[in-house]
Amino acid sequence: METFALGLELNRLFYSEIVRPLLAARFPDVRYSAALIGYGSDVLGFDTPMSRDHEWGPRLLLFLDGETYESSQAAIDSALRRELPATFRGYSTNYSAPNPGGWVRSLADGVAGAIDHHIQFYTVSAFTRHEVGIEPHAQITPRDWLTFPEQKLLEVTAGAVYYDGLDELISLRQRLDYYPHDVWLYRMAAQWQRIAEEEAFVGRCGDVGDDLGSRIVTARLAREVMRLCFLQERRYAPYSKWLGTAFQTLACADVVGPLLASALTTSDWRARERFLGEAYEGIARAHNALSVTEHLEPTLRSYYDRPYQVIQAERFSSALSQAIRDPEIQRVIADCGLSGAVDQFVDEVGILQHARRSRGLREVLGR
């Protein structure tokens, strides 16, 4: 087996050297697109040698138009099974049957002429409905944006499109590239509000001798700060497994990251409060650099008459809310306050990983 290569590069070569010539020879008139997008650490570029134990290896998504899918998908699938080589760059092109859960597959030894490959067929419409619950050319309303989990938007816009013969995938990814301006402001306002709700509790828990409680609140606030950093840099945040890894690629990570790490590792609640406070001041300065509201003083202050040091994050929530002009987002604020988008008020994987379930929460956002 050759030296480990990231899946995006492995599959760029798999497509260009194997799949594309095969399709050109056997199906020269078929229009298609080829990509590695959707689920998977390889799509995000975070795969490691351990990733090879499941859903990793020579694999692609092939997109066909609706008519071609109906008429030719089975024939293309059969040709790939017959004509794919048994290995590519030292990796089997054959996969095991799905696990009992019905979807996880792993590399397995195969025999040329009978390859159980992992090239998945979609129409762009079916893929988009599966990932975010809309048709690819449908109008996207602000309330729609608020029911798209960031992880699902990342799955559509990350990875790589190797060929877009349908002229649909690249335009879809451009449409979903990032939040519209006022949706972005609203998500940031909601994120600041999440900090505001708990920033004094690190000290309050510590003050009454609840060190465990203080640590838990610190961890929660560190996560909220990280997610706000993604918003400030206009980057989609991945789900928890890759949140820290992706955070390290942000421009602010060299400054904010060590402060959060120190807050999480110290045994003194006063030090936790101090490190978190320095991180708050950093993101407050980053907020001012965005120039989306009036300048706000980026310094700590006491929590009302109590001695705990806070940034008074609601100042930022309020200023961002007042900067929003979209009437639909204004109605959401009127109905629901700063509850935020679906993955800001829901933390359940069973909802966030299923478009129908997350989209079903549109009613929570008011009329």
Side-chain angles (χ1 to χ4, degrees):
M1 185 173 292
E2 294 190 1
T3 302
F4 176 75
L6 290 175
L8 284 173
E9 175 61 14
L10 175 71
N11 284 295
R12 181 186 69 80
L13 298 172
F14 181 53
Y15 168 70
S16 63
E17 296 179 10
I18 303 296
V19 177
R20 183 169 189 163
L22 192 158
L23 295 176
R26 296 290 183 245
F27 304 93
D29 298 326
V30 167
R31 293 176 63 242
Y32 68 90
S33 296
L36 187 62
I37 57 179
Y39 67 86
S41 57
D42 48 358
V43 170
L44 301 182
F46 297 147
D47 45 327
T48 69
M50 184 177 289
S51 305
R52 296 177 298 195
D53 64 359
H54 74 288
E55 293 297 311
W56 190 96
R59 70 182 188 96
L60 293 169
L61 279 65
L62 280 184
F63 294 87
L64 307 171
D65 62 52
E67 182 178 341
T68 303
Y69 189 96
E70 292 296 325
S71 64
S72 303
Q73 182 269 333
I76 297 172
D77 178 60
S78 179
L80 291 168
R81 291 173 180 272
R82 292 193 312 270
E83 300 187 35
L84 283 176
T87 62
F88 177 72
R89 301 287 174 121
Y91 295 103
S92 177
T93 62
N94 188 76
Y95 283 74
S96 67
N99 71 344
W103 68 274
V104 176
R105 303 181 67 190
S106 304
L107 293 175
D109 291 339
V111 178
I115 297 298
D116 194 357
H117 61 77
H118 204 351
I119 296 176
Q120 297 171 285
F121 295 88
Y122 287 95
T123 64
V124 175
S125 176
F127 176 79
T128 312
R129 289 196 307 271
H130 176 267
E131 288 293 309
V132 293
I134 61 167
E135 291 292 340
H137 303 292
Q139 179 184 0
I140 306 175
T141 69
R143 211 172 294 246
D144 290 329
W145 280 104
L146 296 178
T147 57
F148 297 155
E150 278 191 276
Q151 173 65 28
K152 304 307 288 184
L153 291 168
L154 187 58
E155 289 178 4
V156 177
T157 57
V161 174
Y162 301 121
Y163 176 66
D164 192 17
L166 296 177
D167 292 324
E168 291 186 77
L169 270 187
I170 290 175
S171 61
L172 170 67
R173 283 156 62 89
Q174 290 171 340
R175 290 190 73 203
L176 297 176
D177 182 61
Y178 205 66
Y179 303 113
H181 183 75
D182 278 10
V183 174
W184 175 53
L185 296 184
Y186 178 66
R187 285 198 61 125
M188 286 196 292
Q191 199 62 31
W192 276 108
Q193 187 62 30
R194 292 179 68 83
I195 294 170
E197 289 165 359
E198 297 192 74
E199 60 179 330
F201 296 170
V202 173
R204 185 58 177 146
C205 290
D207 216 11
V208 298
D210 180 11
D211 188 65
L212 177 60
S214 178
R215 290 174 184 268
I216 290 171
V217 172
T218 298
R220 285 170 58 87
L221 286 166
R223 180 174 182 263
E224 304 303 352
V225 168
M226 291 168 68
R227 289 174 64 89
L228 180 56
C229 288
F230 279 94
L231 285 163
Q232 289 181 333
E233 297 192 20
R234 297 182 64 84
R235 293 265 303 274
Y236 289 136
Y239 72 120
S240 59
K241 179 167 70 170
W242 298 118
L243 182 66
T245 302
F247 177 78
Q248 294 172 30
T249 69
L250 298 182
C252 70
D254 288 346
V255 174
V256 177
L259 294 170
L260 297 180
S262 295
L264 290 167
T265 55
T266 184
S267 59
D268 179 2
W269 71 260
R270 293 172 182 83
R272 284 180 212 130
E273 185 182 72
R274 184 175 69 253
F275 288 127
L276 277 176
E278 292 181 37
Y280 298 152
E281 290 180 334
I283 58 175
R285 290 190 295 270
H287 169 86
N288 286 330
L290 295 173
S291 299
V292 291
T293 71
E294 74 278 11
H295 179 89
L296 298 170
E297 188 61 36
T299 53
L300 300 179
R301 65 279 321 276
S302 294
Y303 182 68
Y304 300 102
D305 293 330
R306 295 186 174 187
Y308 315 121
Q309 292 296 291
V310 298
I311 196 70
Q312 200 175 348
E314 62 269 23
R315 296 181 296 131
F316 297 84
S317 303
S318 177
L320 285 161
S321 298
Q322 292 170 23
I324 292 170
R325 297 291 175 263
D326 186 286
E328 186 168 354
I329 298 296
Q330 290 175 335
R331 285 194 296 273
V332 170
I333 294 173
D335 289 346
C336 304
L338 294 176
S339 56
V342 60
D343 48 18
Q344 291 176 296
F345 64 79
V346 173
D347 198 23
E348 167 54 45
V349 173
I351 291 174
L352 299 180
Q353 282 296 301
H354 295 275
R356 180 179 58 80
R357 296 171 187 170
S358 62
R359 296 276 291 145
L361 292 173
R362 292 175 84 250
E363 296 178 1
V364 175
L365 299 172
R367 61 184 186 275

